[in-house]
Amino acid sequence: MKESIYSTKQLSALVAVRFLIGWHLLYEGVYKLYSPAWSSQGFLSESQWIMSGFAKWIISNQEILSVVDFLNTWGLIAIGLGLIFGLLTRIATFSGIVLLLMYYFSTPPLIGLEYSIPAEGNYLIINKTLIEAAALVVILVFPTGAIIGLDRFIFKKK
Amino acid sequence: MEHQNKKNQNNESKGGEHKLNRRSVLKGLAGLPVAGIFSYELFKKVSYENQNKSSFLKELDLENISAPAALEPAKNGDLIRVGMIGFGERAVALAKALGFLHPENTARRIKMGYLDDWLAQADLNVAITGICEVFDQRAQEGLEIAASEFRPGGGQPSGLPVKRYASYKEMLADKDIDAVVIATPDHHHARISIEAAKAGKHVYCEKSPAIREDELFELYETVKSSGIVYQLGHQISKNAVFQQARDIIQKNILGKITLIETTTNRNTASGAWIRHLDKDGNPKPGDTGSIDWDQWLGDRPKVPFSIDRFYNWTKWFDYDLGMLGQLFTHEFDAINQLLHVGIPKTAMTSGGLYYWKDNREIPDLLHSVFEYPEKDLTLIYSACLASSRNRGRVIMGNDASMELGGSLQVTVDHDSNRFSEQLKKGVISPSEPMLSINPNSGRVDAVTSATAKYYEQRGLSTTRIGDIKMDVTHLHMKEWIDCIRGGGTPAGNIERAFEEGVTILMAQKSYLEERKVEWDAVNRKII
């Protein structure tokens, strides 16, 4: 069996990024879980550009909104845990990319779009959400879950 | 490196390919210490925040401010038979708050879950048995709504017939009516309320209570001596946020309050009471064949029927007091319910007609200043119909100010003495609310947690009250019904209505006479 296609340095760097993003997404999920007042309504109501119609539809119906809130909270927690533990890493990473891109496209920092919530930095087209999604793409194409992670036991190499 | 990897591989293959040796287990569980640190840090953060919150709340004595979590059932008692006088748009909302919805599509809407909030209303055990409305089309709608068999709160239809009365006098003379809901144009409010009180009918009346001094005084005396339950239609105080605001003010968080600013800003034709056209620009229905115009005019000057006057009556002083009667009344009630300011010593209004230059009399820009020298307080009302900039409602004290709308924010004053310690330490900041309550929380969040942090730092926030969103008008009408059955005085009682009536009439007199007017508390008159 070939244990790793990466050098130790490469492996360490990749796993470190996986842990960091996992930590961040897990905390975003846990935070929402612990804030009974939290709802994605505020974020969605800010939505502009291509996702705004979709966002409006979600807000317009309380039941859909609560489903979205639930999926968002538990999705973030599941993805975070998946990245940290290296459990079903491929699915977690892919879901993370999809979720982050949805956040990005809901409120992209494009020229001419203005939001009532101040951003915590200054952005032109590229923001941290997009960079985090890109980092997950790296994690996806350089998988580490089966080397450092529980996937090691699940996807045993023949 | 490669060399080392190869060594590892050799080690592992020696132990058998599928056998989990120690090194392999460690690699598989590498996430565990990360999760462990995460949990530890999370625990630290949660306990730190809890401690911070509770000590700050304790300091402010605000640990227990919370609104009722559940709706109390209505008081037991006999069925109350209600007559509705005036059945326009507002009456439809009032009927809904009483538990009556138009039967069309109701079953479907209940099935779809659209009416869950309505169904959660208490069963008030009332029947709408009478409709009095000068316009045939609206009367018909009223009859259909009153006859509806759907009831919230598990109520059952009474089975009683619904009667249309040709005039309010006829309805008031009917012994089969116990109480009336008055939702006519304002110029009828006082007269009908007075006659209803004399006839022993309980009264729920929309604002304004009266638009002429003589009528207001007569209303007050009649209701006081009648023993009926009078409730003025200001549901605002039933908003849970208002009850919390009252707690905060009673705990003296704001310090000495010397200035209150209330405002109205609107910028639409409908907001400026131009409502006689439908969305295609055609006149809405109604003519002298279907509208009893003489009865609509009542004791006001005879003028020919016009669709403009019928739908846009707010524009003329014969029928109401413009923004003072339609909008400031809500502001005054909100402040009076919170602070019991009562009747001001003086009132001064200025304003004019600057934007909606149609055939109206009422100003579209208006500023009223009310002085309460005994309370060391000034109340300002500033209104504009040509800008929708939100200026809110702000109560200013020397230690903090409170902005109060659908939500509530308390912001510390930069130069507060009471909070100087916390300001110095940076525990609170004058640039963001130290306390905010948003019952329909739309807290903003995104994956970059800075925005979450931004709002988190705005202080404590409580969630919506109970699990259900409740129509405050229902709560207001429920209070009225409960008082009819079980005694007691509702929030919008005749004392509050009188204080409000005098205050708006002072402001109106000042506007018309272009001078400062005074309340003579001894002789109880406006001078």
Side-chain angles (χ1 to χ4, degrees):
Chain A
M1 183 188 119
K2 196 178 174 214
E3 163 68 7
S4 173
I5 53 166
Y6 311 121
S7 71
T8 306
K9 271 185 192 162
Q10 287 167 335
L11 188 63
S12 307
L14 286 168
V15 172
V17 171
R18 206 186 80 200
F19 282 161
L20 295 179
I21 298 177
W23 180 298
H24 175 218
L25 298 186
L26 176 61
Y27 183 67
E28 284 287 358
V30 169
Y31 169 83
K32 290 168 176 62
L33 194 65
Y34 275 92
S35 312
W38 177 83
S39 163
S40 52
Q41 188 178 356
F43 177 70
L44 289 171
S45 62
E46 284 283 301
S47 182
Q48 292 194 48
W49 211 46
I50 51 172
M51 297 275 281
S52 64
F54 180 60
K56 276 201 191 81
W57 175 74
I58 294 172
I59 306 170
S60 68
N61 187 321
Q62 196 58 45
E63 276 166 34
I64 297 171
L65 184 67
S66 37
V67 170
V68 167
D69 284 350
F70 179 85
L71 286 179
N72 195 10
T73 304
W74 286 101
L76 283 165
I77 291 173
I79 293 166
L81 289 174
L83 290 174
I84 289 174
F85 282 108
L87 178 65
L88 305 176
T89 323
R90 193 168 267 278
I91 300 166
T93 311
F94 184 74
S95 314
I97 295 169
V98 171
L99 201 57
L100 286 164
L101 286 181
M102 276 171 69
Y103 294 139
Y104 174 78
F105 283 111
S106 290
T107 55
L110 303 183
I111 298 161
L113 298 187
E114 295 196 1
Y115 302 99
S116 60
I117 316 159
E120 94 289 17
N122 300 290
Y123 303 113
L124 175 68
I125 303 172
I126 309 302
N127 66 11
K128 289 179 190 168
T129 307
L130 189 63
I131 295 168
E132 194 168 21
L136 278 186
V137 172
V138 174
I139 297 296
L140 188 68
V141 297
F142 293 102
T144 53
I147 307 166
I148 303 291
L150 293 172
D151 283 347
R152 189 182 179 87
F153 308 130
I154 297 171
F155 304 104
K156 282 172 191 163
K157 296 264 168 66
K158 292 271 154 64
Chain B
M1 279 303 152
E2 268 177 30
H3 170 70
Q4 203 170 355
N5 275 345
K6 241 173 219 162
K7 219 164 94 186
N8 285 346
Q9 283 161 30
N10 289 340
N11 282 346
E12 278 176 25
S13 28
K14 260 184 215 161
E17 269 187 4
H18 291 176
K19 199 174 164 197
L20 303 177
N21 61 25
R22 190 169 156 270
R23 178 174 285 273
S24 178
V25 170
L26 283 178
K27 283 182 177 175
L29 294 177
L32 205 57
V34 180
I37 301 169
F38 179 90
S39 309
Y40 174 67
E41 293 296 329
L42 181 67
F43 171 75
K44 254 186 17 192
K45 184 175 163 75
V46 168
S47 47
Y48 169 77
E49 280 176 1
N50 283 347
Q51 202 185 343
N52 255 8
K53 274 182 192 173
S54 62
S55 66
F56 185 57
L57 278 183
K58 210 175 215 162
E59 213 170 283
L60 297 181
D61 193 19
L62 287 174
E63 273 175 308
N64 298 317
I65 65 155
S66 58
L71 180 68
E72 278 181 37
K75 286 211 170 89
N76 285 326
D78 293 339
L79 178 81
I80 292 173
R81 296 160 301 179
V82 175
M84 305 278 298
I85 306 177
F87 212 91
E89 216 173 289
R90 183 61 193 154
V92 173
L94 294 174
K96 187 179 175 188
L98 279 175
F100 294 79
L101 262 185
H102 198 283
E104 199 176 84
N105 297 331
T106 301
R108 191 178 59 84
R109 288 162 72 204
I110 288 174
K111 213 170 164 187
M112 305 275 285
Y114 294 158
L115 293 176
D116 286 354
D117 295 343
W118 179 72
L119 288 168
Q121 287 184 6
D123 170 29
L124 302 182
N125 191 23
V126 299
I128 299 178
T129 55
I131 302 287
C132 176
E133 163 62 49
V134 296
F135 183 17
D136 292 340
Q137 185 182 312
R138 287 178 173 174
Q140 185 56 36
E141 191 189 4
L143 292 170
E144 285 164 14
I145 287 173
S148 157
E149 298 200 333
F150 295 100
R151 288 289 176 284
Q156 293 302 315
S158 66
L160 294 176
V162 188
K163 187 177 166 190
R164 180 178 177 188
Y165 295 85
S167 77
Y168 75 88
K169 286 179 188 291
E170 205 181 284
M171 179 188 275
L172 295 179
D174 191 336
K175 61 175 179 24
D176 289 335
I177 295 281
D178 304 311
V180 291
V181 172
I182 303 168
T184 60
D186 292 17
H187 62 284
H188 292 291
H189 286 176
R191 178 59 35 211
I192 299 176
S193 299
I194 290 164
E195 291 185 32
K198 281 180 179 163
K201 316 288 186 200
H202 302 287
V203 173
Y204 183 100
C205 184
E206 278 299 307
K207 46 77 193 169
S208 320
I211 62 168
R212 290 194 311 213
E213 276 177 67
D214 55 339
E215 284 185 335
L216 179 66
F217 289 102
E218 192 187 341
L219 172 71
Y220 180 76
E221 297 303 333
T222 313
V223 171
K224 284 295 269 188
S225 58
S226 71
I228 62 144
V229 178
Y230 176 94
Q231 172 92 303
L232 186 65
H234 288 301
Q235 63 282 2
I236 213 159
S237 61
K238 293 295 176 294
N239 189 331
V241 162
F242 264 76
Q243 292 161 31
Q244 292 163 324
R246 193 178 294 160
D247 279 358
I248 291 167
I249 288 172
Q250 275 167 4
K251 310 251 189 223
N252 200 28
I253 305 299
L254 306 188
K256 186 176 166 77
I257 297 165
T258 53
L259 178 60
I260 300 169
E261 188 177 52
T262 64
T263 59
T264 297
N265 270 41
R266 290 179 169 186
N267 194 13
T268 62
S270 166
W273 295 287
I274 300 170
R275 299 173 178 178
H276 63 294
L277 301 174
D278 64 20
K279 60 181 191 304
D280 300 321
N282 300 314
K284 286 185 183 168
D287 52 37
T288 45
S290 59
I291 293 170
D292 182 347
W293 184 240
D294 275 346
Q295 193 179 170
W296 189 93
L297 284 172
D299 61 356
R300 300 304 130 124
K302 297 282 174 236
V303 289
F305 173 81
S306 87
I307 205 80
D308 184 13
R309 224 166 253 264
F310 179 72
Y311 281 101
N312 309 330
W313 46 268
T314 300
K315 296 195 306 188
W316 292 274
F317 285 137
D318 274 342
Y319 317 120
D320 84 314
L321 301 180
M323 292 197 278
L324 288 169
Q326 297 297 314
L327 304 170
F328 172 63
T329 42
H330 284 308
E331 298 299 320
F332 179 82
D333 179 68
I335 297 305
N336 202 22
Q337 296 285 348
L338 275 181
L339 295 164
H340 305 297
V341 290
I343 300 170
K345 176 71 183 152
T346 64
M348 176 75 203
T349 303
S350 77
L353 189 48
Y354 298 141
Y355 188 82
W356 298 97
K357 299 189 182 206
D358 48 14
N359 52 359
R360 71 182 59 207
E361 292 171 348
I362 64 166
D364 56 18
L365 204 85
L366 176 138
H367 313 283
S368 295
V369 180
F370 304 92
E371 301 291 349
Y372 294 83
E374 282 154 26
K375 296 185 166 67
D376 298 329
L377 178 74
T378 294
L379 167 65
I380 293 176
Y381 175 62
S382 172
C384 172
L385 292 181
S387 158
S388 59
R389 181 186 169 89
N390 179 21
R391 290 185 287 164
R393 178 192 297 133
V394 187
I395 301 168
M396 285 163 258
N398 68 327
D399 285 319
S401 61
M402 176 191 284
E403 181 163 4
L404 184 59
S407 64
L408 176 163
Q409 281 96 36
V410 176
T411 308
V412 71
D413 194 275
H414 188 269
D415 300 314
S416 162
N417 277 331
R418 175 175 174 179
F419 296 115
S420 60
E421 194 88 337
Q422 289 95 331
L423 279 164
K424 214 184 286 168
K425 277 194 214 152
V427 177
I428 46 174
S429 150
S431 62
E432 53 198 32
M434 64 173 178
L435 198 133
S436 68
I437 298 172
N438 185 354
N440 302 311
S441 180
R443 269 182 45 209
V444 178
D445 191 70
V447 76
T448 42
S449 59
T451 49
K453 190 163 166 272
Y454 180 83
Y455 282 85
E456 175 82 335
Q457 280 173 347
R458 296 188 152 211
L460 321 153
S461 68
T462 60
T463 178
R464 70 164 65 199
I465 301 2
D467 288 338
I468 40 169
K469 206 168 66 192
M470 183 56 65
D471 177 7
V472 284
T473 303
H474 168 68
L475 300 177
H476 197 53
M477 298 199 95
K478 177 175 176 291
E479 184 187 41
W480 176 57
I481 296 288
D482 282 345
C483 288
I484 292 174
R485 287 212 176 93
T489 316
N493 60 63
I494 191 63
E495 297 292 344
R496 299 289 92 74
F498 182 72
E499 289 161 358
E500 173 182 314
V502 171
T503 307
I504 58 171
L505 284 165
M506 284 171 74
Q508 173 76 352
K509 199 180 178 82
S510 170
Y511 175 74
L512 293 177
E513 298 179 9
E514 298 183 335
R515 67 178 180 91
K516 194 177 194 177
V517 301
E518 235 179 89
W519 171 242
D520 180 347
V522 179
N523 299 308
R524 286 173 77 81
K525 63 177 187 184
I526 300 169
I527 49 174

